Each structure stands twice: as structure tokens, then as C-alpha cells.
Amino acid sequence: MYYNDNTVIYLNGEWIKARDAKADLFSQTLHYGYGVFEGLRSYATPDGPHIFKARRHFKRLLESSKKLRLNIPYTVAELVELSYQLLRKNNLNDTYIRPLVYGGQNMALHPSKQVNFMMAAWEWEKYHRTEHLDVEISDYRRPSPLSCHIDAKLVGQYTSAILASAAARAKGFDEALLLDADGYIAQGPGANFFYEKDEVLYTPPEGNILPGITRAIIMDYARELGYKVEEKLSKPSELHKADAAFFTGTATEVAGIRSIDGKRFKVEWEDSIGYSLFLMYRQRVVNKEIQDFTLV
Ligand code: PMP
């Protein structure tokens, strides 16, 4: 599904066939989850594929790498160029792009000296198949910011995300919503969270979340449309009074939430602020946002 016999990936300075690529079974990342990654999307436009917010994503990748002392020898501009080459080599337009920084052989608990960098792309539908997600508040919590750099895209952190998502799906929900270590609403397993109440948009502040690029864009769009956006800590009980809610993320884009823990929101997704933002997002990603278009 992610590659076929013709798929080309970038690995440590070379373009190679995905089927010929090898990873070391003694990689520190495989054993301990010590690595970082990014997720970007490209959209087909009349002038060819456009990678949405490419610079911001690669900047975050380099920042995440630095936090883990897994530095890679590339600049943001070089990574942007490589990602466009990747699309050209695979003749891809609408895709998801995955750069991954992972350690070499090292079973000791200090950062691997060898650092690997790979980048692949594949066609990936919008992450959720429905626009009306039934969500459960998970018993699993977001890792504490005191335990690791949870504001970076760290490989190992996704264990709790997968556990929360699997538990929710096993009970018939579409997705999980994780609280932070103090019991405040944090985010989805791989997406940020917003809720609406009386025409105001609320989202958890930075600290216990991954500060998503889509989250920042959606806050800008909402303000552009004249809505008030507040970053605030909320307890799950406050959701019972909310009008509507949605997730945001590169893979998720903007996905409406119909119910939380079986309780349906008052306002239908199509009548919510989130839906207007979803339409605005879709329109802007395919029309290339001016800012990134001129920079890239
Ligand atoms: N939280 C987590 C844990 C994620 O993996 C993602 C997806 N990268 C997000 C939030 C959303 O971030 P972004 O909008 O930058 O894709």
C-alpha cells in the first residue's frame, strides 16, 4: 500500500527503490522509539503539486531533531527541494510525505552517533473516512511534558496514541480524545482539538500538546472570519455544554466530531464554524497559500 516495485525513496543521500531499502534491526529507534519524523501533504494544482507549508514542517523536523540530539546535515531549503524531487521521481501530486530521522546501531541509552534520514511519499486519503466522528475520551493520557519533548514529533510518543486509538475503535468509536496528565483536554492521537461554544472557538494551549501547524493555520483563518479564538485549558465536563467540535492535522485536515462519549453535539457539522474553516482550508490548500508559494 505504501510502495510498489517502482517507488523511489530518499535514504541517506541516495535515491533508491523502496523495495531495495534496508533498515538495521539493531537501530536504536526500533528498540527504544528514539527518533523524529514529520508529515506533510502535497496537493495537485494547475501548476503541479504544491507542498502545503513545506518550510514550516521541515523547520519543525530540524527543531525536533535538535531536541533529540539527532542532527541531520540539511537546511530547510534543501529539504524542501528534496521533497519536490521525491514527488517528481514518483510522479506524485496528491500525496502524504513522510521524512523520518532514525538512529543507527546502538543498544545503549545515549543518542546513536549514526543518524539516518529517509523520506518517502504515498497517496493517502484524508485520515478519517467520516466527517462525523464519534469520539471517546480515552483512559490513556498524553505523556507529561516533564517526561520528554512532547512539543516535538517524537517517534516513541505515538505508543500512547496507538493504544488510545485502538481502545476507542475496539469499543466502536471512530477516534480517541486524550487528556493531559492533569486531566485537562489535550488532543487526538494524531491531531489537535477544537470545540465551539456561543460562536467562540476554544483549543488547549501549548504545553501538553503538539503545537500543530494546521492548528495555527485554523486559528488564523477563524480570526480572519471574525471569530474569537481562545487557547484555554478545559475539563471534559465543559464539553457537555459545547456546540460542536473538530480535529485538525496534516493527515486529518479538518474533521468534524459528532459526539463525545456518546453525547451528540447540538450543532450539526455542516452548520458549525468548523465546517466553514474546513471549506476555507480545502480551498486554500489547492489554491496554494500565497505565503508559501512565494517562499518555496
Ligand atoms: N498532534 C500529533 C500527535 C500529531 O501527530 C499531529 C500530526 N502531525 C498533529 C497533532 C497535528 O499537527 P500538524 O497540524 O502539524 O500536522
Side-chain angles (χ1 to χ4, degrees):
M1 174 194 166
Y2 298 103
Y3 63 89
N4 59 34
D5 284 353
N6 300 319
T7 307
V8 173
I9 66 161
Y10 183 81
L11 178 63
N12 293 332
E14 287 179 60
W15 296 102
I16 58 168
K17 286 269 169 79
R19 60 149 201 255
D20 299 331
K22 292 194 173 49
D24 196 328
L25 284 178
F26 294 80
S27 153
Q28 190 177 45
T29 310
L30 197 56
H31 290 253
Y32 303 131
Y34 198 80
V36 300
F37 68 99
E38 259 306 320
L40 304 85
R41 262 193 197 280
S42 72
Y43 293 90
T45 77
D47 307 319
H50 172 66
I51 304 174
F52 192 61
K53 303 292 175 194
R55 290 180 157 267
R56 280 214 217 176
H57 280 280
F58 285 121
K59 186 165 172 278
R60 188 169 67 185
L61 180 74
L62 294 182
E63 285 165 2
S64 298
S65 296
K66 203 163 163 204
K67 282 179 186 155
L68 258 67
R69 299 165 199 266
L70 291 175
N71 289 313
I72 49 169
Y74 302 95
T75 62
V76 167
E78 285 165 346
L79 291 168
V80 171
E81 175 52 30
L82 284 173
S83 58
Y84 275 101
Q85 278 187 43
L86 178 71
L87 298 187
R88 283 196 292 275
K89 283 181 189 290
N90 288 289
N91 206 12
L92 287 168
N93 282 302
D94 270 310
T95 64
Y96 180 82
I97 303 168
R98 168 57 55 82
L100 170 72
V101 178
Y102 63 101
Q105 277 190 21
N106 189 5
M107 291 299 111
L109 298 181
H110 48 75
S112 165
K113 285 208 176 62
Q114 191 203 334
V115 181
N116 301 293
F117 174 66
M118 79 81 119
M119 185 153 56
W122 61 87
E123 283 172 353
W124 215 13
E125 293 289 299
K126 210 169 168 235
Y127 189 76
H128 292 292
R129 278 168 196 214
T130 164
E131 273 301 326
H132 303 91
L133 296 168
D134 293 321
V135 167
E136 85 148 352
I137 296 182
S138 183
D139 291 335
Y140 293 101
R141 301 237 169 146
R142 276 281 290 169
S144 157
L146 302 175
S147 67
C148 62
H149 297 281
I150 66 160
D151 54 344
K153 272 183 82 74
L154 309 187
V155 174
Q157 254 188 69
Y158 286 79
T159 304
S160 65
I162 293 172
L163 284 169
S165 205
R169 278 158 214 244
K171 286 184 234 160
F173 291 98
D174 298 307
E175 193 50 287
L177 176 63
L178 286 84
L179 306 182
D180 67 22
D182 300 318
Y184 291 100
I185 292 160
Q187 62 166 92
N192 291 112
F193 177 77
F194 286 81
Y195 71 90
E196 308 171 17
K197 170 86 187 121
D198 299 332
E199 306 275 291
V200 178
L201 224 48
Y202 298 93
T203 192
E206 292 188 21
N208 289 309
I209 59 163
L210 180 85
I213 292 168
T214 322
R215 171 184 176 272
I217 291 166
I218 288 297
M219 287 200 284
D220 286 348
Y221 288 1
R223 289 181 178 127
E224 201 181 315
L225 291 180
Y227 293 108
K228 202 169 153 221
V229 185
E230 256 189 56
E231 293 177 77
K232 103 177 172 84
L233 290 172
S234 309
K235 287 282 185 185
S237 56
E238 291 176 62
L239 286 182
H240 297 319
K241 292 173 254 156
D243 297 327
F246 58 92
F247 285 127
T248 64
T250 300
T252 301
E253 299 185 331
V254 181
I257 298 174
R258 177 169 62 182
S259 71
I260 293 193
D261 283 350
K263 191 166 183 312
R264 255 182 112 118
F265 286 110
K266 282 177 256 170
V267 175
E268 292 294 321
W269 171 234
E270 287 76 9
D271 300 323
S272 68
I273 303 172
Y275 187 69
S276 313
L277 295 167
F278 158 74
L279 294 179
M280 195 165 168
Y281 186 82
R282 284 300 312 175
Q283 198 191 19
R284 300 240 173 135
V285 291
V286 289
N287 287 336
K288 303 180 182 180
E289 276 236 317
I290 316 284
Q291 189 197 354
D292 264 17
F293 184 43
T294 47
L295 282 173
V296 172

